[in-house]
Amino acid sequence: MLDVAIIGGGPAALSAALNCRQRNKTVCIFGRSLDSSLLFAAEKVDNYLGLPDVNGEEMLNRFYSHAVKNGVEFQECRVTQVLNMGEHYMINAENNFIEAKAIILATGLSKSKGIAGELDYLGKGVSYCATCDGMLYRNKKVIVISENEEGEAEANFLADICKEVLYIPLYKNVSFLKESVTVLAAKPKAVIGSGEKLTALETDQETISCDGIFFAKNTMPPDSLIFGLKTDGKNIEVDRRMSTNLPRVYAAGDCTGAPYQIAKAVGEGLVAALSAVSDIDQMTKK
Amino acid sequence: MLDVAIIGGGPAALSAALNCRQRNKTVCIFGRSLDSSLLFAAEKVDNYLGLPDVNGEEMLNRFYSHAVKNGVEFQECRVTQVLNMGEHYMINAENNFIEAKAIILATGLSKSKGIAGELDYLGKGVSYCATCDGMLYRNKKVIVISENEEGEAEANFLADICKEVLYIPLYKNVSFLKESVTVLAAKPKAVIGSGEKLTALETDQETISCDGIFFAKNTMPPDSLIFGLKTDGKNIEVDRRMSTNLPRVYAAGDCTGAPYQIAKAVGEGLVAALSAVSDIDQMTKK
Ligand SMILES: Cc1cc2nc3c(=O)[nH]c(=O)nc-3n(C[C@H](O)[C@H](O)[C@H](O)COP(=O)(O)OP(=O)(O)OC[C@H]3O[C@@H](n4cnc5c(N)ncnc54)[C@H](O)[C@@H]3O)c2cc1C
Ligand SMILES: Cc1cc2nc3c(=O)[nH]c(=O)nc-3n(C[C@H](O)[C@H](O)[C@H](O)COP(=O)(O)OP(=O)(O)OC[C@H]3O[C@@H](n4cnc5c(N)ncnc54)[C@H](O)[C@@H]3O)c2cc1C
């Protein structure tokens, strides 16, 4: 079992991981590719003390190699769920299940709370992971709403199982879809249902009846990742130790709210790591 | 009038100053020499993301030049008091008085709450600044208790004014004292007085009657620097914006409590700066 599992892949995750290693804990970062960090797009950064005038990509690479040099491991994947197992946590990383004593969430800015009804029907027809939940929709009709190309693999996977798959891309240049997947140009508006079960997706064009809706997002609303996590709707609530309301779950960086800046992410990553280390040690002593 | 005055001189102060400049505010750091930062003594630092494996002195120099390149000004001095003037603040930097709209405290670890009675007699015989308060002790007997060589200048200044000056160094190698100053090897224990006015210093050797006691410290208890500042005894109380209980007074770095680490100091410096900038802009709009 890992001491600390970190979900993210930007400055907050890398600083947290580096500092867990400095305290001799086992740690792995579960994150999408480095270039999915917001920082990757920055043309010029000049306000992170000590590293004047670099671009975001170069900065990320320096951060990454500093962490790796200290023994940080990185597993490229999308985490869709974190389960509270009582004494530890279990991470679902594209159907690899990893156990860890503590979790640090460093998932970055959560851009959306989702569309109307989305969270209400989570587990009642709404899913964030085709490989996890696809089998529930065998021979049924599903819609995949995707912010990125990774959604195409999800749709292709579902095409083998489901009766009908509609694909709504929220990005340009769809490239690798199977023929049986139908692409729709529409803007999703709301998830509609009976309360118990979703029945349709409302878009700006039409309302489409369906059995399941899969969202493939760049970032997920943090409270959809882990049950019972306290947020103010958008940001994860933390105290000065970077503890969330859940035991041994910490958060750092943009996911804890403004200001959205590197130095804050790096500082909070450090604090979250030291809190995790100290709480794990405390638990082990008992 | 300055937009922001920063008291400190370590990573927290430099990060705050850099980020005030990035938002185009006028800013000056009022600090003792760079080598008085705790970081200066670090032989090897490897947990500040992006700057692997440097020593403290080199890191401070990089931090300093990054800040200066962005137009940060640095005034080497010891601040003994910050006065709340209502709409702005006034800093006493060795009897230079500087006005600023907002204050960021980045004074580092406060090692001591002082000796017994010290804060009770602040302004009633206890002082942290000879050039500020010396004249009150003309022809009287004073004791200077000093953690560093700067106290020698204070004692020499007082020697010209006072009837008698005793000097208790808490460091090695006293070098530049006037002949009329008497050096004592003793450990200060308590400030003693009538309630209204101090009358003596108790040491591990003897109790010495006197009219005034001057402390020259590496760091001062933060609530002796600025009236009404809320601390938990040692650390300045801040919220997630790095605001203290006083309007437009922020704190960052070791002075806000553990963990005592560079990345936390740099991150908090950034947050304090952005909060100060936004609150100043808000005030100006009104
Ligand atoms: C154009 C631009 C310019 C900027 N310029 C500056 C600047 O000059 N100075 C400055 O201080 N800041 C700047 N920023 C902001 C800075 O990039 C962010 O504050 C910083 O990247 C936040 O770090 P983070 O680690 O919290 O989040 P991010 O860097 O966004 O990293 C979050 C990571 O988590 C991953 N992730 C999220 N959910 C999951 C999941 N479920 N499973 C796996 N991985 C997941 C994401 O893919 C991403 O890689 C800029 C941002 C942009 C967009
Ligand atoms: C030996 C050693 C090794 C360390 N190693 C590491 C490490 O590997 N990694 C890590 O992250 N951290 C390390 N640290 C801790 C790190 O140095 C501190 O966390 C960091 O310096 C805090 O920054 P700061 O700006 O809050 O305070 P400081 O760096 O202490 O700066 C405070 C400054 O304010 C000045 N000041 C205070 N009061 C006044 C006043 N009234 N007027 C004017 N100036 C004033 C002080 O003189 C000082 O220059 C180490 C510390 C030491 C001592």
Side-chain angles (χ1 to χ4, degrees):
Chain A
M1 182 174 334
L2 281 174
D3 289 319
V4 184
I6 298 173
I7 303 168
L14 291 162
S15 176
L18 171 65
N19 281 284
C20 286
R21 286 301 304 144
Q22 294 259 348
R23 308 285 159 135
N24 220 16
K25 297 294 174 200
T26 55
V27 61
C28 182
I29 297 180
F30 300 88
R32 296 174 64 232
S33 55
L34 264 201
D35 61 12
S36 72
S37 159
L38 274 195
L39 180 52
F40 196 84
E43 267 176 61
K44 178 187 141 132
V45 180
D46 197 19
N47 69 332
Y48 179 69
L49 194 66
L51 283 186
D53 231 340
V54 284
N55 70 41
E57 181 177 353
E58 188 186 334
M59 187 174 259
L60 266 176
N61 283 328
R62 286 212 215 172
F63 285 177
Y64 181 76
S65 53
H66 189 180
V68 167
K69 219 186 69 189
N70 278 265
V72 170
E73 292 181 25
F74 194 99
Q75 190 168 317
E76 199 173 314
C77 64
R78 208 156 54 91
V79 174
T80 45
Q81 211 175 10
V82 179
L83 290 167
N84 187 338
M85 314 295 283
E87 293 287 280
H88 69 275
Y89 288 88
M90 175 122 77
I91 289 180
N92 182 347
E94 298 175 11
N95 276 12
N96 281 325
F97 293 91
I98 300 104
E99 295 181 317
K101 293 178 191 160
I103 303 287
I104 297 176
L105 301 169
T107 47
L109 200 60
S110 133
K111 272 181 223 121
S112 68
K113 280 193 50 128
I115 58 176
E118 176 179 327
L119 282 183
D120 300 331
Y121 288 98
L122 185 59
K124 300 172 181 170
V126 166
S127 170
Y128 297 110
C129 176
T131 48
C132 318
D133 297 331
M135 286 306 171
L136 300 172
Y137 300 92
R138 188 188 290 273
N139 294 325
K140 297 200 166 159
K141 176 177 174 184
V142 298
I143 304 176
V144 177
I145 301 170
S146 179
E147 293 180 355
N148 55 49
E149 288 169 10
E150 290 165 27
E152 299 173 24
E154 308 255 296
N156 289 339
F157 172 83
L158 291 167
D160 290 341
I161 304 169
C162 304
K163 190 176 66 184
E164 191 180 349
V165 178
L166 304 182
Y167 190 75
I168 303 183
L170 305 176
Y171 60 96
K172 283 173 191 152
N173 302 328
V174 173
S175 47
F176 294 112
L177 281 181
K178 289 188 180 167
E179 262 179 45
S180 62
V181 176
T182 312
V183 176
L184 282 186
K187 201 169 168 317
K189 289 283 184 203
V191 174
I192 290 169
S194 64
E196 280 312 293
K197 193 91 198 63
L198 77 76
T199 54
L201 176 74
E202 184 190 319
T203 74
D204 59 346
Q205 315 273 324
E206 56 184 324
T207 293
I208 312 163
S209 69
C210 63
D211 301 298
I213 302 176
F214 289 85
F215 289 90
K217 300 195 179 209
N218 293 328
T219 58
M220 299 209 303
D223 44 355
S224 71
L225 200 59
I226 174 164
F227 181 78
L229 185 69
K230 210 164 158 187
T231 70
D232 68 0
K234 193 174 162 216
N235 304 316
I236 301 173
E237 284 186 17
V238 288
D239 62 15
R240 294 259 308 140
R241 295 181 79 233
M242 296 297 134
S243 302
T244 69
N245 64 313
L246 301 175
R248 282 166 287 106
V249 177
Y250 314 83
D254 283 4
C255 64
T256 72
Y260 304 116
Q261 298 273 284
I262 300 153
K264 169 177 172 284
V266 169
E268 291 188 353
L270 160 100
V271 174
L274 298 187
S275 298
V277 167
S278 130
D279 292 347
I280 289 172
D281 289 347
Q282 205 63 38
M283 194 176 64
T284 320
K285 249 187 248 159
K286 276 182 201 161
Chain B
M1 184 174 329
L2 281 173
D3 289 319
V4 185
I6 298 173
I7 302 167
L14 291 162
S15 176
L18 172 65
N19 281 285
C20 287
R21 286 301 303 145
Q22 294 259 347
R23 306 288 158 135
N24 219 16
K25 296 295 174 199
T26 55
V27 61
C28 182
I29 296 180
F30 299 88
R32 295 174 62 233
S33 55
L34 265 201
D35 61 12
S36 72
S37 160
L38 273 196
L39 179 52
F40 196 84
E43 268 176 60
K44 177 188 141 132
V45 180
D46 196 20
N47 70 333
Y48 179 70
L49 194 65
L51 284 186
D53 231 340
V54 284
N55 70 39
E57 180 176 354
E58 188 186 334
M59 186 174 260
L60 266 176
N61 283 328
R62 287 212 216 172
F63 285 177
Y64 181 76
S65 53
H66 189 180
V68 166
K69 219 186 69 189
N70 277 265
V72 169
E73 292 182 24
F74 195 98
Q75 191 166 316
E76 199 173 316
C77 63
R78 209 156 55 92
V79 174
T80 46
Q81 212 175 12
V82 179
L83 290 167
N84 187 339
M85 314 296 283
E87 294 287 280
H88 69 276
Y89 288 87
M90 176 123 75
I91 289 179
N92 182 347
E94 298 174 13
N95 276 11
N96 280 325
F97 292 91
I98 300 104
E99 296 181 316
K101 292 178 192 160
I103 303 287
I104 297 176
L105 300 168
T107 46
L109 200 59
S110 135
K111 272 181 222 122
S112 67
K113 281 196 49 131
I115 58 175
E118 178 179 325
L119 282 183
D120 301 330
Y121 287 99
L122 184 59
K124 299 172 183 170
V126 167
S127 169
Y128 296 109
C129 177
T131 47
C132 317
D133 298 331
M135 286 306 170
L136 301 172
Y137 299 92
R138 188 188 291 271
N139 294 325
K140 297 203 166 153
K141 176 176 172 183
V142 300
I143 303 176
V144 176
I145 301 170
S146 179
E147 293 181 356
N148 56 50
E149 289 168 10
E150 290 166 25
E152 298 173 25
E154 308 255 296
N156 289 338
F157 173 82
L158 291 167
D160 291 341
I161 304 169
C162 304
K163 190 176 62 182
E164 191 180 349
V165 179
L166 303 182
Y167 191 74
I168 303 183
L170 305 176
Y171 60 96
K172 282 174 193 152
N173 301 327
V174 173
S175 46
F176 294 113
L177 281 181
K178 290 189 180 167
E179 261 180 48
S180 60
V181 176
T182 310
V183 176
L184 283 186
K187 203 171 167 316
K189 288 284 184 200
V191 174
I192 289 170
S194 63
E196 280 311 294
K197 191 95 198 62
L198 77 76
T199 54
L201 176 73
E202 184 190 319
T203 74
D204 60 346
Q205 316 273 326
E206 55 183 326
T207 293
I208 311 164
S209 69
C210 63
D211 302 299
I213 302 177
F214 289 85
F215 290 90
K217 300 194 178 211
N218 293 328
T219 59
M220 299 210 302
D223 44 355
S224 70
L225 199 60
I226 173 164
F227 182 78
L229 185 69
K230 211 164 158 188
T231 71
D232 67 1
K234 193 173 162 215
N235 305 315
I236 302 173
E237 284 187 16
V238 287
D239 62 16
R240 295 259 307 141
R241 295 180 80 234
M242 297 297 133
S243 301
T244 69
N245 64 312
L246 301 175
R248 281 165 288 105
V249 177
Y250 313 84
D254 282 4
C255 64
T256 72
Y260 304 116
Q261 297 273 285
I262 300 154
K264 169 176 172 284
V266 169
E268 291 188 353
L270 160 99
V271 174
L274 299 187
S275 298
V277 167
S278 130
D279 292 346
I280 290 173
D281 289 347
Q282 205 63 39
M283 194 176 66
T284 319
K285 249 187 245 159
K286 276 181 200 159

